[in-house]
Amino acid sequence: MLSMHIADDGAMNLKASGRVTKEDINEFEPEFDRIAAKDGPVRMIIELEDFKGWDFEGFWRDLKFDARHQDDLERVAVLGDKSWEELGVKASDPFLKANMRFFDRDEREAAEKWVRQ
């Protein structure tokens, strides 16, 4: 499941929980497109809370989203608390143009500061 909130300064806060599906990303993408078209490259904080990964179609859809939006992301801070989540961020980083960084959940303030630099 994905839920989104846009901060007053335009930064996008996205919470991913449970298992993310293709439908979750299909619902998220139009809003992302609207924000990127209006404000330019998006700065995003993704909070992983009880995140179980993606189902197969969700994973494939997420890869296509990432490829399609290479120029629409500026910085992505990922908040989580599992070592495999950090490994996933490090593995994804070379494939994205955006600056991407993992933060432990208790480092929210540092993540917010970094994403807004």
Side-chain angles (χ1 to χ4, degrees):
M1 174 179 197
L2 296 175
S3 59
M4 179 178 50
H5 170 74
I6 307 302
D8 291 339
D9 66 356
M12 181 179 289
N13 294 289
L14 184 67
K15 184 178 284 189
S17 59
R19 191 159 310 276
V20 174
T21 67
K22 174 178 86 172
E23 290 78 16
D24 293 329
I25 298 167
N26 287 344
E27 288 179 25
F28 162 74
E29 189 168 20
E31 185 65 12
F32 178 90
D33 289 341
R34 185 185 69 74
I35 302 280
K38 180 181 151 216
D39 298 328
V42 175
R43 292 167 287 121
M44 182 185 298
I45 298 172
I46 302 172
E47 182 178 356
L48 305 176
E49 184 176 280
D50 194 31
F51 182 61
K52 307 289 186 209
W54 303 259
D55 65 12
F56 178 77
E57 288 181 324
F59 181 72
W60 183 245
R61 182 67 176 84
D62 192 39
L63 289 175
K64 291 195 289 186
F65 173 89
D66 290 345
R68 185 177 6 248
H69 293 286
Q70 284 289 322
D71 295 326
D72 298 325
L73 289 164
E74 183 176 344
R75 283 184 177 241
V76 179
V78 179
L79 288 167
D81 55 13
K82 297 179 181 159
S83 60
W84 69 268
E85 293 170 347
E86 181 175 10
L87 182 61
V89 170
K90 289 178 180 177
S92 300
D93 189 46
F95 301 104
L96 295 173
K97 289 181 182 178
N99 291 322
M100 192 169 193
R101 188 168 160 196
F102 182 84
F103 294 85
D104 285 323
R105 187 175 312 282
D106 62 355
E107 298 177 305
R108 174 176 288 281
E109 190 174 311
E112 289 177 356
K113 182 177 179 180
W114 178 81
V115 88
R116 287 171 169 86
Q117 288 180 342

